[in-house]
Amino acid sequence: MKCFSRLLLSCLLSFWVCQAQAESSSDSSLSLSVDKQLVKNANRFGVVGQSVLILKNHHPIYRGVQGYANKELSVKVTPEHIFPSYSVAKLFTSVLVMQLVQSGEVDLQHSIRDYLAYLPQSWQNVTVAHLLNHTSGVPRYFDAVMQRGSFLADKKAVYSSLEQAPAHFKMGTENHYNNTNFLLLASLLELKTKKSYKQLVDDVIVKPLALQNTGHASARTVRHNMVSSYQGANGVIIKNLDIDWPEYSFAHSALYSTPEELATFITALIKGKFVKPELLKTYFNPMMLSDGTSGTYAFGFEYSVEDNFIRVGHDGGNRVKLRHYYNVENAADNYTLVYMTNGNANDVWTDVLADSVMSVIAPETFKMATLKEQFVEAALANNIRVMNDVYDAVKAMKGNDMAAVGQFLLYRAYSLRYGSGVASSVGTFEFLVEKFPASENAQQSLNQIKQLLTE
């Protein structure tokens, strides 16, 4: 009997060791595959440096870096490097507003002038919800900054300068990204808490989560381990001259962080650290536009649904993507992606980068992301056969909704135009016209691209 027990124990130990080795091998294979995808993205789009973290059900399943923190000095990216995160700052603002709504101190349906009476009378119908969801139509203050070449002294000066400015669009009719919305939310937060926005972020988010490498800083600030920023100029990588955002703009800009700390922040939110989970579920619903269509923001978070997953998060300066994916039927089935870069040769969209790695992480789960990646790869290789295969697969997934299929192709074409240059997108625009010969929009888009090639 003792011999049998020893034999059974030996078999069980062997099974556990083999299972652990298999899981380790699987993890290693997955990491290698995503590493290869980062190299692909660097080659396709001229991405200078990348730092990526992916969680499955709040547990890390991939961590990788690629490229350069400083190209001129050949300093490679490490997991310790800090990245400018730009408008990801808006999510901090959204969470701070969530808390005031939860406590009853702010009503989403109240006019912003109920709280900030000094605002222009013409903004009376603009609610807190309109600001969060970029449907307010208030004038865009940053457009004036670019024209003037400088920032005004403070927020009140900004609001005064906009008093006679025309509305950007009719309130509630459209989604248009606008930094003025979050400037106003910062004023609301400061009024209600009697703290500066920066102090509020420190007290509510940074310190409670023990974030050591997250905060706001002027572009002139020299910070240890901060990557250099780059931008594309006709496919050539040059040093980026970051805007020196004033402190009053921190509610929508000037954030810096790391993948681990951004993941810590959004995980804490999802798990109920800042607001009750049942309330968060109601907050993660996009505002309906006046024509009955769904908006693309939910409480300041970018919002979309694809592959039966709700996707919430934000882009940062077209260099960083923070996104949480959760299953429509079961929020416990979720992924978190933090994809940080410090610039690229053209202007690749972070959605394209996000889809590329999720197609590797779980191709059977993220089928649409996989088709997007397959199409991009085929288009860059001018592989018409695979482009047709993807086209047929998208048609099937969209239930032969040809308008949706056309949008799929148009988005891919423009993502290549901006991501890897005009010449790389011509074949896709031609493919679009071939599939939709009666579409004036498709033909005009192709003509515009061809015109750009001759200039």
Side-chain angles (χ1 to χ4, degrees), residues 317-331:
N318 216 23
R319 291 172 173 82
V320 171
K321 178 66 76 179
L322 171 60
R323 178 180 281 168
H324 183 69
Y325 305 71
Y326 61 98
N327 193 294
V328 171
E329 283 107 22
N330 177 19

Side-chain angles (χ1 to χ4, degrees), residues 249-268:
S249 70
F250 285 179
H252 65 76
S253 65
L255 185 72
Y256 62 83
S257 193
T258 65
E260 280 76 15
E261 296 200 353
L262 288 182
T264 295
F265 159 71
I266 201 162
T267 299

